[in-house]
Amino acid sequence: MNIRTNAGYIITDSVHVGRTEFVLGVHSTAPSQFVAWACKGGSDYYWGHYLSDLLSATKDLLERATQELEFCMNEKAQSPQKEPEEPCL
């Protein structure tokens, strides 16, 4: 099993929404032990939210994935006939 890491954080959880993945990372010695990133292509991590406890980090991960899902659903509802250039799903 391959272990994914970024900036010393071990990626422990992920949620895919369309072309974006939201990941949760854990670092045993960092001042902010947890991070939630958006990720493209499995290795392009950005928009990190650094947190000090697991529950807050998990909440942030799920909220961000939910926001992206709602955005994708709204896009689809507004143009059901036309396929977007970069589809969310």
Side-chain angles (χ1 to χ4, degrees):
M1 177 177 182
N2 290 341
I3 296 175
R4 286 173 62 188
T5 63
N6 185 56
Y9 286 81
I10 297 171
I11 306 305
T12 60
D13 294 288
S14 68
V15 177
H16 292 263
V17 180
R19 295 181 179 204
T20 304
E21 177 185 19
F22 297 92
V23 301
L24 177 67
V26 179
H27 193 297
S28 61
T29 61
S32 295
Q33 191 175 0
F34 303 94
V35 63
W37 279 300
C39 181
K40 297 264 182 171
S43 61
D44 182 13
Y45 299 91
Y46 60 97
W47 192 24
H49 295 175
Y50 294 83
L51 302 143
S52 59
D53 67 276
L54 179 58
L55 287 178
S56 295
T58 302
K59 181 181 179 195
D60 185 72
L61 172 79
L62 295 173
E63 285 174 346
R64 294 169 75 182
T66 299
Q67 288 173 355
E68 183 69 13
L69 180 59
E70 289 171 351
F71 173 79
C72 290
M73 292 174 72
N74 286 336
E75 269 196 352
K76 184 177 179 181
Q78 290 176 5
S79 58
Q81 307 299 341
K82 183 181 172 188
E83 188 68 28
E85 287 181 23
E86 240 183 78
C88 286
L89 299 174

